[in-house]
Each structure stands twice: as C-alpha cells, then as structure tokens.
Amino acid sequence: MHTAPAFQPAVAGPSGTPAARRRRVIDAPTRMFHWLFALSFVGASLTAAGERWRALPGTLGSALAGLFALRVLYGLVGPRQARLVPMVRRLRAAPAWLRSFAQALRDCSVQGVNWRQGQNLLMAFAVVALFAMVVPLTLSGYGTYDDWGDFLGGDWLEDVHEFFAEVFLVIVLGHVAMIALLSVSRRRNQALPMLSGHIDGSGPDIVKRNHAWLAVLLLIAVIVFVGWQWQQSPNGLIPAKGSTQSWSDRRHHHDD
Ligand code: HEM
C-alpha cells in the first residue's frame, strides 16, 4: 500500500533554503491502472441507466475486468511495492486494532488507540474490498449483457449486477471520502501520490524504477480495446440521437 511513510523534514540547500526533496512512492503503471480503473467504473455507472446505452457500460465493464486481471498479474510478478500480498497481509493487523479500539470504548477513553494505523487499515480495507468486488460485479454484468439469466427467467441476474454495482459505488465513495478526510486531518493532499507518484520529504525512493513505458502500453491497450469494441458494435457505443432501437434489438439485428 502506498500510504505515505512517516514525514521526514527536508535537508537545507546550499543557500540555506530548504531543498524541495520528494520521494517516489507509486510507479507509473499502478497510477495509470488506477485512473483507467476509476474512469471505467465511473463511465460504466453513468451510462448504465437505460436499455439504449448497453454497449458502452458493457465495454467499460470489460475494460474494468481486464484492468483488474492485469493489476493482479502485476501484483504477482511486478515490483515489490506493487505486490498485492503485502496489501492483503496488512489487514492482519485489523483484529488487534479492533480489540484495542473496543477496549478504549469500554474504558470510555480514546487514549492508546493508534488512530493513524486505524486510518491506514480502513484505506487498505477499501482497496482490497474494491478488488474483491470486481469479480462478482463484472461477471454478473457480462451475464446480464449476454442474457445468461434467460434460462431461469426474469431479470434476476440484472438485479444481482445492480446490487454489486451499488456495493462497489458505496466502497468507492468511502475510498474517496477517506482520502479527502485524511488530506484534511494530515494537512497533506493524500490524492497527490496517485497523480504524481511522489510525496514531499527526504529519504530513499520506495519505487526505484517508474516503468513509464508499461503505463503507456496499458493506456494504448485500453484505447485499442474500446476502439475495437466501437468498431464491432452495430451503431458504435453511443446510441444515435433520437434512435429508439434498444441495444438488444440492435444486437439481435446484428446477429441475423
Ligand atoms: C477522485 C477520486 C480518487 C482519488 C483521489 C483516489 C486516490 C487514491 C489514492 C491516493 C490511492 C492510494 C491509496 C493508498 O496508498 O493508501 C488509491 C488507491 C486505489 N484506488 Fe483510488 N482514488 C479515487 C477514485 C477511485 C475510484 C473511482 C476507484 C475505483 C473504481 C479507485 C480505486 C482504487 C484502487 C483499486 C486503489 C489501489 C491501487 C493499487 O494499489 O493498485 N479509486 N486511490
């Protein structure tokens, strides 16, 4: 997890003015993954309403699933700081933290509770929960898109998909709210590392190599995928203005 390590004051420059030192904590592929992942989810959520728009959320949902698969692969074979196991292992501290918190409640005192650790655990939990939710969300989404539910009749699979989409949205809103609250309480923009990859302060870079080429490759892969889907889809991914033909009409027409 990339939560900023303890702050260390910057060393003074030759003219005595403190040199702005910064450390790289998140590499380019992880940051590119993050914003493509966030955009795919937000785009799919905003266009999911209404039968005529099924092509675009379908494509963005597939992009979300593809990005997740690549992130898991990167988390298994990628650089140490991008590994997923430490991210999950970090949650092992949660039961002990919850016990200390429960004890503090019983003692009616907030002393002795490591709030910073609690915040980091909540951030890590939100991220792990998002990763865990991608599978049921995209699988039920693809099943709805491909009418898997028909054999049992009714839109039960669409209901399942909407349930997971709402759970995912709640976790995302919690994730963004936590980052906003932490930025205020720690008086430091916690979103910045996911944009620039750096945090201010001296000390060794946690990320030795940025792998910008891999981030560019990931971006190109997503653009090519969406472009291919657009080309494959009967009338593109965005229904023509005033066209009343629903997605399944267009799709079944396309299959004829
Ligand atoms: C303005 C919106 C957002 C901001 C500022 C933001 C910021 C961040 C930051 C700073 C981290 C690193 C957390 C840490 O190191 O503890 C992070 C991680 C993450 N965020 Fe967001 N986020 C945003 C929206 C989203 C959305 C919409 C999603 C999902 C659809 C998302 C999914 C994730 C995931 C999966 C990670 C883990 C990244 C990894 O390690 O690969 N975020 N985000």
Side-chain angles (χ1 to χ4, degrees), residues 9-21 202:
V11 290
S15 60
T17 53
R21 297 292 307 278
S202 62

Side-chain angles (χ1 to χ4, degrees), residues 30-116:
T30 304
R31 284 178 279 138
M32 183 62 78
F33 153 79
H34 178 268
W35 296 113
L36 290 172
F37 192 72
L39 279 176
S40 303
F41 174 70
V42 172
S45 310
L46 293 176
T47 57
E51 178 65 13
R52 286 189 320 115
W53 279 79
R54 235 186 190 181
L56 189 54
T59 296
L60 294 173
S62 308
L64 197 75
L67 284 163
F68 170 67
L70 291 173
R71 178 65 183 92
V72 168
L73 189 64
Y74 194 57
L76 293 172
V77 300
R80 200 171 44 73
Q81 85 286 340
R83 293 288 168 92
L84 295 177
V85 174
M87 192 192 282
V88 178
R89 209 178 280 140
R90 184 175 295 254
L91 294 177
R92 281 199 197 143
W97 188 86
L98 288 170
R99 277 195 298 278
S100 75
F101 180 63
Q103 187 56 48
L105 284 184
R106 276 195 296 277
D107 305 345
C108 298
S109 89
V110 291
Q111 304 302 329
V113 177
N114 181 342
W115 292 111
R116 190 179 180 94

Side-chain angles (χ1 to χ4, degrees), residues 166-214:
E166 274 146 28
V167 171
F168 201 93
L169 181 61
V170 168
I171 303 171
V172 163
L173 294 175
H175 167 67
V176 176
M178 271 293 292
I179 288 158
L181 288 173
L182 283 186
S183 299
V184 175
S185 67
R186 295 182 186 178
R187 292 197 219 93
R188 194 152 93 144
N189 181 342
Q190 300 291 314
L192 215 51
M194 195 45 91
L195 290 164
S196 70
H198 293 92
I199 56 167
D200 295 335
S202 62
D205 281 341
I206 292 175
V207 170
K208 300 293 178 238
R209 300 180 56 202
N210 198 24
H211 302 302
W213 62 275
L214 197 52

